[in-house]
Amino acid sequence: MSKLVFRIPATALLAAGLTVIAATPFAFSAPGLQVVYLLPLGFAWWVWRNRTTVDEERIVARGTFGTREVPWSEVKAIKVESRGWLSALRSDGTLVRLPAVRAGHLPALAAASGGRVADPSATPTAGSVDGEPTDPPVESDG
């Protein structure tokens, strides 16, 4: 069983570190301004925490303050949101945002899902009609 983890690149933590360095003269210019360090620390927490783990049984979307686990049996479709971000559309109509997963990751998501998500880059198979794949589990806001 393969597991795939989508995450924000760790190099984004460099931005938090550079912000701490750049903010140091300002933070110590007056008492109480050290609170400015909360911004890069919050950004570092966001980078470290946000990820989506996909395997053949479920999707685990780990956000900044919580985790949502969705079994593939509850996923009706994968929806392409604005700016190319992906969400899982559940059978009950609710959307689960998939942190760090973009439209360009659809082929990898399809492979990790064990065939539950159609690969949009795949060539049509013999079972398709008019060149369109028969399984349509990808939607777009268009």
Side-chain angles (χ1 to χ4, degrees), residues 4-9 45-54 58-70 78-79 81-89 95-106 109:
L4 187 59
V5 179
F6 299 95
R7 64 178 68 191
I8 298 167
W45 175 256
W46 178 79
V47 169
W48 186 260
R49 238 339 250 171
N50 279 317
R51 70 185 64 173
T52 300
T53 305
V54 179
R58 66 185 170 275
I59 300 174
V60 180
R62 195 167 125 178
T64 307
F65 299 111
T67 301
R68 293 188 69 181
E69 186 173 321
V70 181
I78 299 296
K79 187 171 184 180
E81 299 284 341
S82 62
R83 299 186 185 209
W85 294 104
L86 298 184
S87 294
L89 179 63
L95 283 175
V96 176
R97 190 178 70 82
L98 304 178
V101 184
R102 305 278 306 219
H105 296 130
L106 273 171
L109 182 68

Side-chain angles (χ1 to χ4, degrees), residues 4-134:
L4 187 59
V5 179
F6 299 95
R7 64 178 68 191
I8 298 167
T11 54
L13 293 173
L14 289 174
L18 292 174
T19 304
V20 166
I21 292 169
T24 298
F26 174 76
F28 288 99
S29 64
L33 288 180
Q34 292 82 16
V35 74
V36 76
Y37 286 128
L38 292 177
L39 292 172
L41 286 175
F43 177 72
W45 175 256
W46 178 79
V47 169
W48 186 260
R49 238 339 250 171
N50 279 317
R51 70 185 64 173
T52 300
T53 305
V54 179
D55 59 27
E56 292 182 359
E57 296 159 6
R58 66 185 170 275
I59 300 174
V60 180
R62 195 167 125 178
T64 307
F65 299 111
T67 301
R68 293 188 69 181
E69 186 173 321
V70 181
W72 281 111
S73 61
E74 293 180 17
V75 176
K76 180 179 174 184
I78 299 296
K79 187 171 184 180
V80 181
E81 299 284 341
S82 62
R83 299 186 185 209
W85 294 104
L86 298 184
S87 294
L89 179 63
R90 296 178 59 174
S91 302
D92 62 3
T94 59
L95 283 175
V96 176
R97 190 178 70 82
L98 304 178
V101 184
R102 305 278 306 219
H105 296 130
L106 273 171
L109 182 68
S113 71
R116 290 179 176 88
V117 174
D119 183 357
S121 65
T123 57
T125 60
S128 63
V129 178
D130 296 329
E132 292 296 320
T134 55

